[in-house]
Amino acid sequence: LNTKTASSSNESLVTATATGKATGTLLIEGVSQLATSATAVGTPQVPVTSSTKLSSLFNGNMPSEIELGSINAQGELGERVKITIDENTTISQFISKVNSSNAGVSAIFENGQLSITAKNTGRLANGDSAIQMNDAAKNVFGELGITKVNEGQNASFKVNGIETERSSNAFSINGYNVTLKATFN
């Protein structure tokens, strides 16, 4: 039997485990940036609470459905999902609908502010936003104060002399499962 092993000289920076498919030597020589998630924070124009009805933010033309999606674990755009709302939907209920959907986005409403964050890290290779919304969703999130998404970033590192990147801080390469924990040279 050929047992494969992996070790880290500093497990607070990088950890690795070898699978049965591990080949050769893998040397992580530096991590210039860790992967982060796309996020957006907004404050509505008018004071609201979690029990405020979304319809109170609109002048009678509130959408009944939005589409929302985000980057998936493979670093690609996932499918947008439809989320239904009506004139009785409160901000708290809307947050719950977003969080229980398969949109790949988590939302929180705290101290009069809304925050949305992609559940997966990284950025899309084509430059599109890692959090995708149709016009109706942009309208709803805009009323809740979100006008711009701060894009996530890919992990950038050097492995065996090659500069490369991944959309996640945990990935497999040449049969090794690697987790990047901090930046270093």
Side-chain angles (χ1 to χ4, degrees):
L1 296 173
N2 289 333
T3 303
K4 311 290 183 173
T5 62
S7 65
S8 174
S9 62
N10 188 338
E11 291 197 354
S12 66
L13 301 175
V14 177
T15 59
T17 57
T19 69
K21 296 180 180 183
T23 58
T25 300
L26 188 71
L27 178 61
I28 305 292
E29 300 172 57
V31 177
S32 57
Q33 74 182 17
L34 293 174
T36 60
S37 297
T39 188
V41 176
T43 304
Q45 295 285 333
V46 295
V48 295
T49 66
S50 60
S51 61
T52 300
K53 292 182 180 179
L54 288 177
S55 58
S56 70
L57 302 174
F58 292 86
N59 291 326
N61 54 356
M62 185 183 90
S64 60
E65 181 180 88
I66 66 166
E67 292 182 14
L68 183 64
S70 70
I71 191 170
N72 63 25
Q74 291 74 40
E76 301 165 348
L77 186 59
E79 292 291 321
R80 285 189 198 169
V81 299
K82 295 178 180 183
I83 299 171
T84 58
I85 54 177
D86 63 34
E87 65 278 349
N88 293 315
T89 302
T90 64
I91 292 174
S92 178
Q93 291 167 332
F94 177 66
I95 298 303
S96 180
K97 287 180 179 227
V98 169
N99 289 335
S100 64
S101 75
N102 290 324
V105 174
S106 63
I108 186 171
F109 184 78
E110 187 69 31
N111 295 327
Q113 291 186 297
L114 174 69
S115 171
I116 58 173
T117 304
K119 291 181 181 177
N120 292 299
T121 57
R123 68 174 194 277
L124 297 173
N126 65 4
D128 285 346
S129 178
I131 297 176
Q132 295 281 311
M133 303 176 198
N134 67 352
D135 288 341
K138 288 177 185 174
N139 193 11
V140 170
F141 283 107
E143 290 297 329
L144 291 168
I146 292 181
T147 57
K148 180 181 181 289
V149 173
N150 298 313
E151 292 305 324
Q153 63 185 19
N154 288 345
S156 296
F157 59 99
K158 192 173 189 177
V159 58
N160 291 15
I162 302 170
E163 293 284 343
T164 191
E165 59 182 53
R166 295 288 191 280
S167 63
S168 174
N169 293 315
F171 53 88
S172 295
I173 187 168
N174 280 14
Y176 293 93
N177 295 326
V178 178
T179 302
L180 306 176
K181 297 182 173 183
T183 60
F184 66 94
N185 291 328

